[in-house]
């Protein structure tokens, strides 16, 4: 293991040399691949004087090294190869190296590795240094040519194909790029192909490459790709820029997918779909991730990041763009609600604990640990706020300027904000605090009514986070409307721009005291702290004209009820039941929206809410409260529920469309409630009749929640046992629905099922992630949840530190709980830290989590 060093944003310096071109030759062999690299280098005028040439490299066996054709002996360290300035020409020169690597032995899945007989690469963030000696940093951009030699039939790399024959293929990427966007794939693959013509009439060949037998599950991914390409032309004016666009699906992949130039590599679960194997949620995710990776072609590839501190420059913007796209393809309101649910459950949770960090961090040890909800999701919210503040027209002009000014650059957040400043003449220095200050602001709201004048007063509190005890007030765009007691808008949506710690806004000339609809569309990633008048939430759930706030009113009410039950043991409140019943049976509302309203807040969310109230959450009581609410709701909705289910149970041929998905979501929600009353009769027949995976897994979930479904579990496994991506649902569902005291033992048993490949990241995340997602089980007072997760993290860490480190965030909320749970969680964190040879990745995470107490 190389020594772990902290890297600081403040230390940035341009690289000593420029790399004008790179020629790579790969002679592929599982245990001894030879990589020859020919780099055309010259001193960088931005780094005057004569400088040593230091190239990154890890785990490489150097075979030869030559400068301008003459063999040289460089200094080789575990993480670098250095040539002294005195041994280098004071002008352009060529460096040739040859190294040997063993892709077969690469279980970390970074660099060149093998997945089921196929070679593939993952170079972001710092994987290229495991392939060859190179300045592995995003601001070094170069033209890559690649030759692959192998007997495998399909040999792919970035850019356009230039030559191929028996046993070889050559590729040329005309667009200079950083090494993290390099990719190579070789395997026995089949293509699902299509053609695309760009707005300026350039033909592009599109291929999705999969393992033989999977070709018929690529249609939705291809359709999503074509829609993404068209959308980026129409909405952002961005065209594709190569002759081919290849996507490859691999089974072993640490993340969701990767935007390598012209050769996106995907986790197979985000490509393959058919109605029988993919849920509606899978379809949505495939569409969103295909779009995300495609959009990176401009926001990430053509304009990349100067250094890894600027990660949000590409990720925040690309997530924002994929959210816009999904909103345009589906119901924008439903998408916004779903995105906020994710933001709160992942990013607010992160911001509230020991792993909180700014959207643009200022230091890191292991960059792979910063591919976080904060960088991605909060990074996207920051862009949404910027757009709200400057307006749609100025946003468009600023983006045009960004693409014009920075095409081909490795840019910074300063460059990004400058295009907005230049377009709008606004000073964005206060806005920039969103990039530098961690933590979720709390917005306290007070109101006053005095003789026709209504005043809203906001006070922002920016809580301390690790390393940031003090904060300054931020700019917060607060979209507000005022409603009459009959539900009409007396003041339609306006945006209030809060810039001070405390600020009041007056509304004059009103006939009656209005009901405010605050933070419409969730216009800023903040927690609203407001004690509404009795009945106000139910009123807004019934009448708010902003769909987000309509849903939010019901959500806030449900959270209030669940927290009260968990804390005080009060009965389920009828005002919540009545309000939710009215929405459930309102046929004028979108079924997808109604299904969202019926989804109860998660237990971890309630723990977060209770913690924010300054109380200690009790996972067992929260679990019981949630069950009680579901049971009471099933009774309150009564026979209407059966009628609703029947109405939705139509025979329309399957389509993955958002409207059909919405109907299925409501149908499954109704079924799950009905199952609490009939003991599983309807769900068993729904399982047997299911015509889509959404219905099949929905019925199975309904049965497992009431401790039925053993026969169905068996028949599901018999049907899908050979499809690992489908079976992941089977494993996860059993663990998430298990009784809290049983789930850890069940997870342990399942992960050790013969043939279950826990070294595959999807499989590992399925079981260990599901246990962590079962809040009452992971935080069970026995400590069995903590122990089991720690045991398995320690098993995975030596093989795949990156995935182990990501999954370890299960522990990030440990400081929230009571002394006994804290003691048990801390013991497991300390046990991990004491493990010999713990990876740097996992060590950094565990140390940060332990620093909280
Ligand atoms: N850039 C990719 C995600 C990604 C990030 C890191 C990886 O390895 C550490 C792999 C993929 C995206 O945003 O989709
Ligand atoms: Zn991305």
């Amino acid at each position: 293991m190389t020594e772990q060093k902290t890297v600081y944003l403040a230390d940035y310096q341009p690289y000593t040399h420029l790399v004008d071109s790179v020629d790579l030759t790969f002679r592929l062999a599982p245990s001894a691949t030879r990589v020859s690299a020919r780099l055309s280098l010259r001193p960088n005028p931005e780094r005057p004087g004569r400088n040593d040439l230091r190239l990154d490299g890890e785990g490489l066996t150097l075979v030869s090294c030559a400068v301008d054709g003459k063999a040289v002996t460089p200094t080789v360290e575990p993480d670098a190869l250095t040539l002294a300035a005195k041994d280098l020409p004071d002008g352009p020169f060529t460096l040739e190296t040859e190294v040997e690597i063993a892709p077969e032995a690469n279980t970390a899945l970074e660099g060149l590795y093998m997945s089921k007989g196929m070679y593939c690469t993952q170079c972001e963030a710092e994987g290229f240094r495991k392939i060859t000696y190179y300045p592995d940093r995003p601001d070094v951009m170069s033209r890559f040519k690649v030759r692959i030699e192998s007997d495998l039939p399909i040999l792919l790399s970035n850019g356009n194909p230039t030559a191929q024959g028996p046993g070889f293929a050559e590729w040329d990427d005309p667009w200079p790029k950083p090494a993290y966007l390099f990719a190579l794939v070789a395997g026995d693959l089949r293509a699902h192909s299509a053609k695309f013509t760009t707005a300026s009439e350039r033909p592009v060949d599109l291929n999705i490459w999969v393992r033989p037998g999977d070709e018929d599950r690529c249609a939705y991914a291809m359709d999503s790709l074509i829609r993404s390409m068209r959308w980026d032309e129409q909405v952002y004016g961005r065209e594709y820029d190569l002759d081919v666009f290849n996507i490859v699906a691999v089974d072993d992949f640490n993340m969701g997918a990767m935007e390598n130039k012209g050769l996106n590599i995907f986790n197979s679960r985000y490509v393959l779909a058919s109605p029988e194997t993919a849920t509606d949620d899978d379809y949505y995710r495939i569409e969103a991730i295909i779009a995300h990776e495609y959009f990176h072609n401009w926001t990430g590839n053509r304009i990349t990041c100067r250094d890894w501190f600027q990660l949000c420059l590409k990720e925040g913007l690309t997530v924002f763009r994929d959210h816009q796209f999904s909103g345009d393809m589906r119901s924008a309101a439903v998408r916004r609600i779903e995105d906020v649910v994710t933001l709160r459950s992942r990013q607010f949770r992160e911001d509230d604990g020991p792993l909180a960090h700014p959207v643009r961090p200022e230091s890191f040890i292991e960059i792979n640990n910063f591919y976080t909800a904060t960088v991605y999701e909060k990074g996207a919210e920051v862009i949404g706020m910027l757009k709200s503040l400057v307006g749609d027209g100025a946003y468009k002009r600023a983006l045009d300027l960004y693409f014009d000014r920075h095409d081909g650059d490795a840019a910074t957040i300063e460059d990004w904000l400058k295009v907005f400043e230049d377009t709008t003449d606004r000073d964005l220095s206060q806005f920039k605090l969103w990039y530098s200050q961690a933590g979720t602001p709390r917005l306290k709201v007070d109101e006053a009514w005095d003789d026709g004048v209504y005043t809203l007063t906001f006070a922002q509190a920016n809580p301390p986070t690790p390393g940031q005890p003090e904060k300054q007030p931020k700019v917060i765009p607060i979209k507000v409307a005022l409603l009459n007691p009959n539900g009409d808008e007396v003041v339609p949506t306006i945006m209030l721009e809060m810039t001070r710690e405390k600020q009041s806004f007056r509304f004059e000339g009103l006939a009656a005291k209005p009901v405010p609809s605050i933070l419409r569309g969730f216009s800023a990633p903040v927690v609203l702290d407001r004690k509404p008048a009795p009945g106000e939430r139910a009123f807004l759930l019934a009448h708010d004209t902003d769909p987000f706030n309509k849903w939010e009113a019901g959500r806030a009410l449900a959270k209030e009820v669940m927290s009260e039950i968990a804390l005080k043991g009060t009965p389920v409140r009828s005002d919540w039941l009545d309000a939710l019943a009215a929405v459930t049976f309102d046929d004028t509302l979108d079924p997808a929206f109604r299904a969202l309203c019926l989804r109860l807040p998660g237990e971890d969310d309630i723990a977060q809410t209770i913690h924010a109230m300054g109380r200690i959450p009790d996972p067992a009581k929260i679990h019981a409260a949630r069950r009680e609410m579901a049971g009471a709701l099933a009774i309150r909705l009564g026979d209407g529920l059966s009628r609703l289910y029947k109405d939705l149970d139509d025979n329309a041929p399957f389509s993955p469309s958002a409207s059909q998905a919405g109907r299925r979501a409501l149908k499954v929600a109704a079924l799950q409630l009905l199952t609490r009353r009939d003991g599983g009769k309807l769900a068993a027949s729904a399982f047997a009749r299911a015509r889509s995976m959404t219905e099949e897994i929905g019925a199975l979930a309904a049965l497992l929640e009431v401790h039925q479904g053993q026969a169905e579990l068996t028949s599901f496994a018999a049907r899908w046992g050979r499809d690992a991506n489908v079976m992941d649902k089977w494993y996860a569902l059993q663990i998430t629905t298990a009784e809290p005291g049983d789930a850890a033992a069940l997870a342990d048993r399942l992960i050790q099922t013969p043939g279950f490949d826990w070294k595959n990241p999807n499989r590992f995340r399925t079981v260990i992630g599901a246990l962590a997602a079962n809040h009452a089980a992971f935080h069970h007072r026995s400590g069995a949840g903590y122990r089991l997760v720690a045991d398995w993290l320690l098993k995975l860490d030596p093989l795949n530190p990156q995935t182990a480190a990501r999954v370890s965030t299960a522990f990030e909320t440990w400081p929230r709980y009571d002394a006994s749970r804290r003691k048990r969680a801390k013991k497991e964190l300390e046990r991990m830290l004491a493990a010999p040879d713990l990876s740097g990745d996992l060590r950094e995470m565990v140390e940060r989590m332990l620093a909280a107490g």
Side-chain angles (χ1 to χ4, degrees), residues 259 292-293 296 314-315 318 376:
E259 69 263 24
H292 179 95
E293 306 311 330
H296 267 315
K314 74 177 178 84
E315 296 305 347
T318 306
Y376 276 64

Side-chain angles (χ1 to χ4, degrees), residues 728-742:
D728 281 349
K729 302 178 200 304
W730 184 88
Y731 286 100
L733 194 56
Q734 292 179 68
I735 298 164
T736 47
T737 55
E739 281 301 311
D742 303 337

Side-chain angles (χ1 to χ4, degrees), residues 329-348:
M329 295 297 123
R330 295 163 176 258
S331 151
V334 168
R335 283 313 325 150
R336 183 64 186 143
I337 294 166
E338 292 273 22
D339 290 341
V340 173
V341 169
T342 310
L343 180 80
R344 283 177 172 153
S345 71
R346 297 185 47 223
Q347 201 280 321
F348 281 22

